[in-house]
Amino acid sequence: MPLRSEATRWSTVAKTFHWTMALLILGNGAFAFWMDGLKPSLNKINMFALHKSIGLTVLALFLLRVLWRFADRRPPHTPGPRWQMVAMHAVHALLYVLIVALPLTGWAFNSAHGYPLQYFRQFNLPAIVGHDEGLANVLIEVHEYLFWFLLLLLVPHVGGALKHHIVDRDDTLRRMLPFGRAKRSTPTPPGDSA
Ligand code: HEM
Ligand code: HEM
């Protein structure tokens, strides 16, 4: 169970961050849409409180993931045509931006609407913007559309991973799967280890 990533595989820590956050983000988005259809009740308020706490957990995990990324270098990228490398870097960068922007817009909406914010009923968190209903109306739209944008980005992200696995038959997906192991080593193109 390697703690640090190697040339041919992602570390257990990096995989745990990736899959835990993917599940929490997708689950939390689906949870929000499902809750939205419920009739107003105390139960609904409690469920939204849970939605907010899960979202804040994603934000905290992002900070830890970034710190870990500084300490642990990622395995080299699987070489490919230049346009594919550029597209992959752009998608990864946008995914990281969305991982932060989704919780922050949710938090900002919550603040602008004047709702209180508690983390799993343990402690209160402050408002990050002042009470402003006009701003709240914009922020909730942004919050929801960012989630749709994330789903859109998963098309090239997941599609790319499947293409590597099925068409190119390389280890790109296998080395990221929870119990996956690289079958063959992935060659490193010169100067490509960021
Ligand atoms: C992984 C992070 C998050 C994801 C994927 C996410 C996703 C979503 C989505 C898709 C909706 C729209 C539901 C609908 O309109 O039917 C929503 C609503 C909402 N989110 Fe989030 N969210 C996240 C984090 C947060 C955070 C951190 C907060 C607050 C601190 C928050 C507060 C809210 C609130 C209050 C609503 C309901 C707005 C309303 O209709 O009254 N969200 N969220
Ligand atoms: C909300 C869902 C997801 C998010 C936010 C996400 C985000 C990311 C990010 C930011 C990276 C880049 C890691 C880095 O270089 O630091 C990455 C890598 C990766 N993701 Fe995802 N991901 C998600 C879901 C998925 C799914 C469903 C798959 C399955 C096909 C997948 C497969 C991969 C693979 C194979 C890599 C490694 C790519 C490589 O070695 O260059 N991801 N993911």
Side-chain angles (χ1 to χ4, degrees), residues 113-140:
H113 212 337
Y115 288 148
L117 183 59
Q118 257 189 357
Y119 187 68
F120 290 113
R121 296 189 181 168
Q122 296 305 306
F123 52 86
N124 296 326
L125 284 157
I128 52 173
V129 298
H131 189 177
D132 179 340
E133 285 304 326
L135 179 63
N137 291 338
V138 175
L139 285 169
I140 191 56

Side-chain angles (χ1 to χ4, degrees), residues 77-94:
H77 293 290
T78 314
R82 196 175 145 67
W83 73 266
Q84 265 181 31
M85 305 307 285
V86 171
M88 181 210 59
H89 282 297
V91 169
H92 283 176
L94 282 170

Side-chain angles (χ1 to χ4, degrees), residues 4-97:
R4 315 289 295 262
S5 297
E6 295 162 12
T8 54
R9 62 178 164 190
W10 288 89
S11 64
T12 305
V13 180
K15 287 185 196 180
T16 306
F17 273 126
H18 178 271
W19 293 111
T20 309
M21 290 172 77
L23 281 177
L24 288 181
I25 294 168
L26 296 176
N28 212 25
F31 188 39
F33 282 126
W34 175 73
M35 281 184 300
D36 197 43
L38 298 179
K39 291 198 193 91
S41 67
L42 183 60
N43 197 26
K44 184 172 177 176
I45 294 172
N46 288 336
M47 283 199 244
F48 260 110
L50 184 60
H51 169 81
K52 297 177 203 175
S53 295
I54 294 171
L56 292 169
T57 305
V58 169
L59 192 58
L61 285 175
F62 168 80
L63 297 175
L64 293 175
R65 182 173 178 172
V66 168
L67 286 179
W68 185 256
R69 250 319 231 105
F70 282 118
D72 182 24
R73 79 194 262 285
R74 54 154 294 147
H77 293 290
T78 314
R82 196 175 145 67
W83 73 266
Q84 265 181 31
M85 305 307 285
V86 171
M88 181 210 59
H89 282 297
V91 169
H92 283 176
L94 282 170
L95 284 171
Y96 275 125
V97 169

